[in-house]
């Protein structure tokens, strides 16, 4: 389970400069990483950069986003929308519930011989 965190705690969105992926072509193009809340992260280009990116094929977009996710998971510099440093961390697994399921109530015919007097009637 992966989460986006800062020094202050968990955040839902972080971003990275595309310069880390493709120096000249993606310089100052922001790539956003969103925490979907279920341990999955979603990555996409910022909407304001769509017009510039439209000159490149979709396959190239997919490759850049794949590379960006690999860089982010490896510890590349991320920041929140406010400019605070952020990173991806493994969230601890949820503790198993200590509540155990109850056995179904015994029926009258389940009682062993000699204990039939315990039947509620």
């Amino acid at each position: 389970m992966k989460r986006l965190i800062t020094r202050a705690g968990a955040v839902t969105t972080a971003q990275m400069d595309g310069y880390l992926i493709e120096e000249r072509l993606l310089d100052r193009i922001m790539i956003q990483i969103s925490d979907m809340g279920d341990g999955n992260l979603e990555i996409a280009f910022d909407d304001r950069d769509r017009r510039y990116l439209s000159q490149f094929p979709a396959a190239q977009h997919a490759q850049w986003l794949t590379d960006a996710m690999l860089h982010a998971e490896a510890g590349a510099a991320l920041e929140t929308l406010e400019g605070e440093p952020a990173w991806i961390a493994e969230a601890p697994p949820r503790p198993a519930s200590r509540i155990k399921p109850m056995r179904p109530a015994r029926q009258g015919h389940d009682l062993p011989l000699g204990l039939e007097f315990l039947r509620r009637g």
Side-chain angles (χ1 to χ4, degrees):
M1 231 174 134
K2 296 178 180 166
R3 295 179 60 187
L4 292 170
I5 60 169
T6 64
R7 288 185 192 128
V11 292
T12 57
T13 305
Q15 60 187 5
M16 68 186 295
D17 192 335
Y19 181 82
L20 298 171
I21 308 306
E22 188 70 38
E23 293 176 2
R24 291 179 159 250
L25 293 176
L26 298 181
D27 188 22
R28 297 191 186 134
I29 301 298
M30 299 312 285
I31 301 170
Q32 291 187 341
I33 301 171
S34 302
D35 187 347
M36 305 310 292
D38 57 357
N40 294 320
L41 301 176
E42 186 177 284
I43 190 162
F45 288 106
D46 193 330
D47 288 336
R48 65 187 166 106
D49 299 320
R50 297 277 180 201
R51 184 172 178 199
Y52 169 74
L53 292 168
S54 67
Q55 65 183 318
F56 302 105
Q60 185 64 55
H61 291 198
Q63 182 61 46
W64 284 335
L65 292 175
T66 300
D67 291 347
M69 185 55 89
L70 292 173
H71 275 71
E73 288 177 340
L78 300 176
E79 62 183 33
T80 64
L81 301 177
E82 295 80 28
E84 184 181 352
W87 57 92
I88 296 175
E90 285 288 325
R94 292 185 181 180
S97 175
R98 295 180 187 240
I99 300 173
K100 295 182 181 179
M102 295 177 58
R103 289 186 327 182
R106 291 189 171 204
Q107 301 298 322
H109 57 82
D110 290 343
L111 292 172
L113 292 175
L115 296 178
E116 294 161 347
F117 66 90
L118 295 173
R119 277 193 207 142
R120 295 182 183 173

